[in-house]
Amino acid sequence: MFPKQRLRRLRKSDGMRRLVQESHLSLDDLVYPIFVGEGLTEPQTIQSMPGIQRIPPSMVQEEMKKIQADGISAVMLFGVPKTKDSLGSSAYDKDGVVQNAIRETRRSTPDMVIMADVCMCQYTDTGHCGIYRKGAVDNDATIRYLAEIAASYAKVGVDIVAPSAMMDGQVAAIRTRLDYEGYTDVAILAHAAKHHSSLYTPFRDAASCAPKCGDRSGYQMSYANSRQAMMEVAADITEGADIIMIKPAIPYLDLVAETRRRFDVPVAAYNVSGEYALVHAADAQGLINKDAVMLEMLGSIKRAGADIIVTYFAREVSRLLR
């Protein structure tokens, strides 16, 4: 006999499909990354990322108001400084590009959730994510600087700091410094399993942070190691991370799902620059429907278990979700 259960019964109309939909993508899930270029007087187009620009500091307030009007309630700030040195000193300058962008965002859109990347690759003259000595990044020296950067963001009103350097002990160092200075309410979103990925190439163009020598495989995760990724997640939670992030998103949905299964903390996924650029490139060639693909892509990240999605698609998808 034919089975009594016919799953197509629940797919026969738009209303029926919506009724039984298991996961839902919302604007409240999305975080929009922003590049602020120190010294710029007008926006700069990022050729590898259609629709994304480096904005000048003078435009931060205006841009934040537009983003909020699009229904986006959270942003992640990345700075592109004018000067770089071996210690990445502009990263923790009290008047640095991100510090000033946080101030301007807080003035213009006080309800915006402000996240700020805590790393050194944009600020060091080597392009590495920490203090580079004798052919390698000095982990223990670097985490002191990362804590300094995080504290400088806290002083000007950031809500969430997002360490992405993949240094052992970085979350503990930052949590200790923030608590010592009285910023106990500043949360930490840890790039816990940030993989050594080819999908970061457009970001490195946007942030001008490609390594000048070697690569980052010595401190970023190998895509082949899922058990090690879970060790990284567990370590960051133990050290005091409030939110855990997997990066990139689409090739690592298994890790998003496993993190959601194992740990009772908010889980984020970063839909990175290469994922964004591939969709736009295929759409420009007439090979796909961009709107349909980006909804499917973000929906799959949500289905895998992500509570938060950092994505360059946020403003594009907002018009569809609204």
Side-chain angles (χ1 to χ4, degrees), residues 51 65 96 112 187 242 250-251 284 304 306:
K65 290 177 182 177
M112 184 73 78
D242 301 283
I250 295 301

Side-chain angles (χ1 to χ4, degrees), residues 211-226:
K212 300 297 187 295
C213 53
D215 60 30
R216 296 173 181 155
S217 59
Y219 45 97
Q220 292 180 347
M221 275 284 312
S222 167
Y223 64 79
N225 296 346
S226 59

Side-chain angles (χ1 to χ4, degrees), residues 11-320:
R11 304 172 192 154
K12 67 181 183 180
S13 68
D14 288 344
M16 187 71 81
R17 289 191 292 272
R18 288 195 299 270
L19 183 67
V20 299
Q21 185 169 325
E22 297 175 20
S23 59
H24 296 266
L25 182 67
S26 161
L27 287 179
D28 292 333
D29 302 327
L30 307 181
V31 179
Y32 186 56
I34 298 173
F35 300 98
V36 183
E38 189 175 28
L40 295 182
T41 57
E42 59 184 25
Q44 281 186 345
T45 299
I46 300 166
Q47 297 296 336
S48 57
M49 298 177 69
I52 306 298
Q53 298 177 314
R54 300 182 198 92
I55 64 169
S58 61
M59 283 185 59
V60 168
Q61 288 198 22
E62 176 187 351
E63 191 72 4
M64 292 299 175
K65 290 177 182 177
K66 290 179 180 177
I67 291 166
Q68 193 171 64
D70 285 339
I72 306 300
S73 58
V75 295
M76 183 175 286
L77 293 168
F78 295 90
V80 186
K82 287 193 298 185
T83 60
K84 306 186 181 197
D85 59 34
S86 62
L87 298 179
S89 57
S90 58
Y92 43 90
D93 186 330
K94 65 182 178 64
D95 291 315
V97 60
V98 172
Q99 288 81 353
N100 285 332
I102 293 169
R103 291 185 182 101
E104 294 302 304
T105 301
R106 188 58 69 209
R107 291 187 188 110
S108 63
T109 47
D111 296 333
M112 184 73 78
V113 176
I114 307 172
M115 305 181 184
D117 178 64
V118 178
C119 196
M120 301 183 74
C121 57
Q122 300 104 292
Y123 304 92
T124 57
D125 52 15
T126 63
H128 277 284
C129 298
I131 307 303
Y132 197 74
R133 295 170 176 161
K134 299 179 180 179
V137 172
D138 186 330
N139 186 98
D140 294 3
T142 296
I143 61 175
R144 294 194 294 271
Y145 286 96
L146 297 175
E148 183 72 20
I149 296 168
S152 75
Y153 293 165
K155 289 173 185 176
V156 293
V158 80
D159 295 299
I160 300 173
V161 294
S164 62
M166 286 299 289
M167 297 293 122
D168 293 336
Q170 63 182 12
V171 172
I174 290 170
R175 185 74 271 162
T176 299
R177 177 66 179 272
L178 292 176
D179 290 353
Y180 177 77
E181 296 203 13
Y183 299 112
T184 56
D185 286 342
V186 173
I188 298 176
L189 184 160
H191 291 59
K194 179 180 178 180
H195 292 80
H196 183 242
S197 173
S198 299
L199 291 168
Y200 302 144
T201 302
F203 175 91
R204 292 173 183 173
D205 174 28
S208 187
C209 64
K212 300 297 187 295
C213 53
D215 60 30
R216 296 173 181 155
S217 59
Y219 45 97
Q220 292 180 347
M221 275 284 312
S222 167
Y223 64 79
N225 296 346
S226 59
R227 294 193 300 273
Q228 192 178 88
M230 292 302 101
M231 291 173 66
E232 292 278 9
V233 170
D236 282 356
I237 293 171
T238 300
E239 291 178 22
D242 301 283
I243 304 168
I244 289 298
M245 184 144 75
I246 308 299
K247 180 179 180 181
I250 295 301
Y252 300 90
L253 291 181
D254 60 320
L255 300 183
V256 175
E258 185 66 7
T259 301
R260 172 74 292 141
R261 187 183 71 81
R262 290 196 192 194
F263 304 101
D264 293 324
V265 298
V267 176
Y270 201 136
N271 183 216
V272 299
S273 60
E275 296 169 90
Y276 175 88
L278 287 170
V279 171
H280 273 270
D283 181 67
Q285 294 293 316
L287 302 176
I288 62 169
N289 179 308
K290 174 174 64 65
D291 287 355
V293 171
M294 69 181 179
L295 283 174
E296 183 177 351
M297 181 179 283
L298 297 178
S300 71
I301 299 169
K302 183 72 176 178
R303 186 195 67 237
D307 304 291
I308 299 165
I309 305 172
V310 183
T311 178
Y312 302 95
F313 287 122
R315 296 182 74 180
E316 290 180 83
V317 81
S318 72
R319 62 181 168 80
L320 302 177

